[in-house]
Amino acid sequence: QQQVKQSPQSLIVQKGGISIINCAYENTAFDYFPWYQQFPGKGPALLIAIRPDVSEKKEGRFTISFNKSAKQFSLHIMDSQPGDSATYFCAASNDRGSTLGRLYFGRGTQLTVWP
Amino acid sequence: DAGVTQSPTHLIKTRGQQVTLRCSPKSGHDTVSWYQQALGQGPQFIFQYYEEEERQRGNFPDRFSGHQFPNYSSELNVNALLLGDSALYLCASSFVYGTSSTDTQYFGPGTRLTVL
């Protein structure tokens, strides 16, 4: 079963707008939540990550919001640019224990930013 | 500092054949994980190697096997290829602190396998 559910499947945003991608999880043992960006023909690249002890993390134009009680987290891309057009994956893992470092990915969101 | 490297970039095989994919981890990393990414899907965990042993495994058949060498590089072998094995195969490396926690995983560019 899909351990991490991601929406929307695709997103079209105008240049300068805000892109928002949402993810939800069930396994409360997850304690690390990264977002990866993937361009066609390339491997996923780590964008930003958060742990459950904080509710928000910001790096430049990228912000993760985390709601532990709702088991949801989201990626916000402010001032979206055409160069941000890519596929974004949320993921979750338990950094400790028997599934050490194993990443569970969402299905991905294809973001298109129109100039 | 080289990141994660994988070879070959592309590979075309026919059903029933066997394939070997290779991965060199990022400098300083000792753990290698392999993922399969079907077209339009998120990566799915195959297995992870640490200290030359398979540490954990995802829901993949025994046709998928691997190896880790003393220099931490790794191979993924797939036997009796099926059409459904066509995918991008990703290698990710990380550093494990003792046995209890791991650093961020970094992905290579992947090997695109096409099975005809």
Side-chain angles (χ1 to χ4, degrees):
Chain A
Q1 69 279 21
Q2 193 75 15
Q3 297 246 10
V4 178
K5 296 182 179 179
Q6 182 172 348
S7 63
Q9 187 174 348
S10 63
L11 183 61
I12 299 174
V13 173
Q14 206 160 13
K15 179 182 176 182
I18 302 173
S19 303
I20 302 174
I21 304 170
N22 301 299
C23 285
Y25 65 97
E26 287 298 325
N27 188 344
T28 56
F30 288 148
D31 59 7
Y32 177 68
F33 302 89
W35 284 89
Y36 283 85
Q37 179 190 57
Q38 186 175 31
F39 292 103
K42 304 290 186 182
L46 180 68
L47 199 58
I48 187 173
I50 197 168
R51 293 191 182 274
D53 53 344
V54 296
S55 60
E56 186 175 283
K57 183 174 181 180
K58 184 176 180 179
E59 290 185 2
R61 297 185 293 110
F62 302 92
T63 300
I64 298 179
S65 297
F66 186 83
N67 186 328
K68 188 174 181 178
S69 61
K71 291 184 285 185
Q72 295 175 347
F73 58 110
S74 60
L75 176 69
H76 295 232
I77 306 175
M78 312 300 287
D79 187 27
S80 298
Q81 299 296 312
D84 296 332
S85 296
T87 301
Y88 292 80
F89 293 95
C90 61
S93 72
N94 179 0
D95 254 9
R96 297 160 180 81
S98 62
T99 59
L100 177 65
R102 170 179 176 173
L103 288 168
Y104 295 84
F105 283 86
R107 293 189 184 273
T109 296
Q110 187 165 352
L111 171 66
T112 302
V113 181
W114 289 100
Chain B
D1 175 27
V4 180
T5 59
Q6 292 186 244
S7 64
T9 305
H10 296 90
L11 207 51
I12 298 175
K13 293 286 187 178
T14 57
R15 279 178 297 174
Q17 284 190 312
Q18 177 264 344
V19 69
T20 297
L21 311 181
R22 295 176 176 82
C23 170
S24 291
K26 184 178 169 64
S27 178
H29 283 184
D30 58 2
T31 301
V32 173
S33 300
W34 287 91
Y35 292 80
Q36 180 195 65
Q37 185 177 20
L39 200 61
Q41 302 293 320
Q44 297 291 318
F45 178 81
I46 303 175
F47 43 52
Q48 182 185 78
Y49 277 84
Y50 172 68
E51 292 188 337
E52 301 180 48
E53 291 187 357
E54 183 181 291
R55 186 181 183 127
Q56 55 176 314
R57 188 180 186 91
N59 189 26
F60 278 80
D62 292 344
R63 298 187 297 109
F64 290 77
S65 63
H67 188 77
Q68 185 178 36
F69 299 94
N71 66 352
Y72 308 119
S73 66
S74 177
E75 287 182 350
L76 164 65
N77 300 293
V78 187
N79 295 322
L81 285 167
L82 303 174
L83 295 179
D85 294 332
S86 295
L88 180 68
Y89 287 85
L90 296 164
C91 168
S93 75
S94 58
F95 177 78
V96 172
Y97 299 94
T99 59
S100 61
S101 67
T102 183
D103 200 352
T104 301
Q105 291 191 46
Y106 294 87
F107 284 81
T111 293
R112 172 70 63 186
L113 172 65
T114 301
V115 182
L116 302 177

